[in-house]
Amino acid sequence: MRRTPHLALVGVGVTGALVLSASPVSAKPAPAATPGIVVADGMTQPVFSFADAIVERVYVETPLDTDSDGRRDRVAIDISRPRETATEGFKVPVIFEHSPYRKGTWGSVPYHSVLVDDLPQNGLTRRSASLSADVEDQGAVTKPNLPGQLDDYYVPRGYAVVLGQSVGTGDSDGCPTSGDQAETLGTKAVIDWLNGRAEGYDAAGAPAKADWSTGAVGMTGASYNGTLPNQVATTGVKGLKTIVPVAAISSWYDYYRANGLVVAPGGYQGEDADILAKYTAGRARSEGHCADEMAQLTEEQDRVTGDYSKFWADRDYLDAKKVKASVFVVHGLNDWNVRTEQFAGWWDELAEHKVPRKIWLHQGGHSSPGNTAAVTLPDGQTWTYKQTENRWFDFWLWNVPNGIMNEPTAVVQRENRVNATYANWPDPATREVKLQLGATDPTGPGTLTAGKRPKDATTEQSFVDNGRTLTPNSLVAAPDVANPNRLVYRTPALTEEVRISGRAEMRLRMAIENKPNANLTAYLVNYGPEGSTAAPTVVTRGWMDPQNRKSASRSEPLKQGKLYDFTWTLEPKDYVFPAGHRIGVVVFSTDQAYTLLPLGGTELRVAPKHSELRLPVVGGKKALVF
């Protein structure tokens, strides 16, 4: 049985720095000549030669046969480790990044058309057409492979770095499965190999052992590379001590769907689970021995109803009951590719199961905060993001007593790009505030009121879907005038700034007058002071399929012209509305940037008297002052 590594003082490296060596808990301190990490300011220092590092390729056997060829799939991993792990018997922990993007991707995989005569759940067939001039064709867009600097940074600090290739991609065997249990087990096999529980082979087929590893593993990565750590953590695999998922997915349903609606990740209109699998597999594999698997993905993902199903449940990691690894969540508050519900739902689940955790939210999009982004803690110490990541791994993989778990749980970058610390996220002072919708004109601008709406503000309103032609920016613009293709509701000017932290919720009583169904979209918007010519700022968004009003798993027909109550959350956010500005919500149907694009003309009717917006306001209702 592998013993838990512990740190023994074996010498002094630099002034005030400790040299530490891994040894069994029952062993005596090693002599000073034994190689060891150097810790200064609670952080490992670069004392090992990267130029002299050992680099090797291993093929790890998995329990899978995803391409049904009768042989277990093997996944390729590339290892960098300090020379001392071979020459001095120095055992090191591992930082592991697995990826489907290493090589051989299909850069121009054809995307699904998003142009339809009518929504497919209405029972009509997809229209064969070219994209209009107002809609950008995303069919040749390639997925980002967010860069990192792992081996050159961490190998000199006394870590091995393992860069893996997901099953069905690159030099690994098999077929990709877009996030299901097979992909999870293919990744887990690497951790099992690092702990002596799985077989590995070199390029010549000779057995390979990770006898240089302490067995302690930390996973990290961004985007898909950050999703794989979430997946593996839910297995509770022994040896995985911590994960740092950056811009990562926790539910593939919430990536490609929203409350029963087919919704694309931002910038990738027409993408779905099958498209991503083909992209990662490469064209030859997708159209060759994995063609049947690709066809099965296309069928089972269901772009017709958009309902949550077993297919999506198999790609859902929002269950942390087996998670043993600590988690450092990193996400952009303006990430519209991997939207913010991905981190928020995962964060909630981690909190429910009391998983040791930390979170860093920044104002960027689908990215990391940047290595030099810095935060000053309440005790006056300032750390960059990279230093924080370094200290996190040191604490969990080398047991360095640097106090990182005693620091504030949440770092949130504010709108002025200054990083602030909070006890948790959402802010513990957050309280739900109900804002009543009101209107006195059938199409004109309406009101948002914290309290009872004016008695005369109960007029029903109507709008017509034209989102295929009109961009979301044009639909949120000009809030002071009526627009036949959307409805807008605003508060009076704020006398003090208002911060929201968490999920806004839209509750709308609405009827579809002339169609069986419609897209349903709401945008939360920051409007400037009265008379301002500045463009409004979209704070967050949310979508819903009205047929899924009771459950994301079940579509139910609607009666045309009948009012129904619809409730859905917008993407989580932490945002400050400045004093003098107005909080607005814009309701429309088709979202050109995210939803399927039916022909216009669907008529919708809203009853503001029975509708409201619920906001997560820090300080509650007393903080919302007009």
Side-chain angles (χ1 to χ4, degrees), residues 349-371:
E349 183 65 16
L350 297 172
E352 175 71 20
H353 292 277
K354 297 180 172 55
V355 175
R357 63 201 182 280
K358 185 177 182 67
I359 191 167
W360 188 308
L361 304 176
H362 60 91
Q363 290 293 327
H366 192 53
S367 64
S368 75
N371 290 342

Side-chain angles (χ1 to χ4, degrees), residues 509-564:
R509 181 166 290 184
M510 188 198 74
I512 304 171
E513 302 284 47
N514 62 338
K515 292 287 181 71
N517 201 24
N519 294 317
L520 189 53
T521 302
Y523 275 30
L524 183 67
V525 182
N526 173 11
Y527 287 107
E530 205 70 48
S532 171
T533 58
T537 300
V538 175
V539 176
T540 187
R541 309 167 168 94
W543 309 268
M544 185 182 186
D545 182 343
Q547 289 186 354
N548 290 88
R549 61 194 180 280
K550 294 181 181 179
S551 170
S553 303
R554 186 176 71 257
S555 295
E556 293 187 12
L558 301 162
K559 292 184 179 180
Q560 293 182 26
K562 179 180 177 179
L563 289 166
Y564 292 90

Side-chain angles (χ1 to χ4, degrees), residues 116-126 260-262 302-307 465 510 512-520 544-549 555-560 589-590 596-604:
V116 292
D117 282 343
D118 212 331
L119 293 175
Q121 59 266 48
N122 290 351
L124 302 182
T125 58
R126 182 175 300 279
L261 208 61
V262 173
D302 178 15
R303 286 180 65 84
V304 175
T305 71
D307 290 354
D465 180 26
M510 188 198 74
I512 304 171
E513 302 284 47
N514 62 338
K515 292 287 181 71
N517 201 24
N519 294 317
L520 189 53
M544 185 182 186
D545 182 343
Q547 289 186 354
N548 290 88
R549 61 194 180 280
S555 295
E556 293 187 12
L558 301 162
K559 292 184 179 180
Q560 293 182 26
S589 181
T590 293
L596 298 182
L597 309 181
L599 295 172
T602 302
E603 300 171 5
L604 302 99

Side-chain angles (χ1 to χ4, degrees), residues 5-14 16-23 30-40 42-48 82 84-85 90-95 153-160 214 390-391 393-402:
H6 116 137
L7 296 176
L9 174 63
V10 296
V12 178
V14 293
L18 300 180
V19 181
L20 301 147
S21 176
S23 62
T34 301
I37 60 171
V38 173
V39 175
M43 186 166 56
T44 51
Q45 302 299 308
V47 296
F48 300 97
E84 289 79 358
T85 57
F90 178 50
K91 292 183 182 294
V92 295
V94 172
I95 295 175
Y153 184 89
Y154 280 109
V155 171
R157 287 166 168 79
Y159 292 90
T214 65
N390 191 159
R391 294 166 63 239
F393 281 133
D394 291 345
F395 179 84
W396 289 103
L397 299 181
W398 270 118
N399 298 336
V400 173
N402 54 26

Side-chain angles (χ1 to χ4, degrees), residues 198-450:
E199 301 300 320
Y201 303 89
D202 64 18
K209 303 292 184 183
D211 50 11
W212 42 264
S213 168
T214 65
V217 180
M219 288 190 71
T220 190
S223 193
Y224 207 145
N225 301 0
T227 302
L228 291 163
N230 285 346
Q231 295 178 220
V232 178
T234 61
T235 69
V237 59
K238 292 182 179 179
L240 183 61
K241 302 298 184 182
T242 192
I243 64 172
V244 183
V246 181
I249 292 168
S250 58
S251 165
W252 286 94
Y253 182 83
D254 290 336
Y255 186 65
Y256 288 122
R257 306 288 183 268
N259 303 302
L261 208 61
V262 173
V263 173
Y268 298 96
Q269 265 285 34
E271 188 191 302
D272 216 319
D274 60 336
I275 303 301
L276 183 57
K278 291 176 183 178
Y279 174 78
T280 61
R283 183 167 188 171
R285 198 181 318 220
S286 295
E287 296 182 342
H289 68 277
C290 291
D292 288 346
E293 285 77 9
M294 299 300 104
Q296 185 176 358
L297 285 172
T298 300
E299 179 182 357
E300 293 183 357
Q301 70 192 5
D302 178 15
R303 286 180 65 84
V304 175
T305 71
D307 290 354
Y308 187 83
S309 62
K310 184 181 183 301
F311 177 89
W312 297 109
D314 290 343
R315 292 160 174 81
D316 188 331
Y317 324 120
L318 293 173
D319 183 352
K321 65 176 179 288
K322 292 183 180 179
V323 174
K324 296 183 176 68
S326 63
V327 183
F328 181 8
V329 172
V330 182
H331 215 100
L333 287 166
N334 295 296
D335 189 346
W336 290 101
N337 180 337
V338 176
R339 297 183 290 273
T340 52
E341 181 58 40
Q342 298 291 345
F343 86 76
W346 182 227
W347 184 253
D348 290 347
E349 183 65 16
L350 297 172
E352 175 71 20
H353 292 277
K354 297 180 172 55
V355 175
R357 63 201 182 280
K358 185 177 182 67
I359 191 167
W360 188 308
L361 304 176
H362 60 91
Q363 290 293 327
H366 192 53
S367 64
S368 75
N371 290 342
T372 60
V375 62
T376 300
L377 303 181
D379 63 5
Q381 294 188 87
T382 298
W383 301 102
T384 66
Y385 167 71
K386 191 64 178 180
Q387 289 172 329
T388 303
E389 177 197 84
N390 191 159
R391 294 166 63 239
W392 182 266
F393 281 133
D394 291 345
F395 179 84
W396 289 103
L397 299 181
W398 270 118
N399 298 336
V400 173
N402 54 26
I404 195 166
M405 294 305 293
N406 299 323
E407 296 168 6
T409 298
V411 175
V412 179
Q413 187 180 39
R414 298 268 42 108
E415 290 72 13
N416 61 2
R417 299 306 190 266
V418 173
N419 288 301
T421 60
Y422 300 96
N424 206 338
W425 194 91
D427 193 299
T430 296
R431 300 292 182 270
E432 184 178 77
V433 176
K434 301 176 183 179
L435 296 178
Q436 309 297 324
L437 273 62
T440 57
D441 182 271
T443 59
T447 58
L448 282 177
T449 307

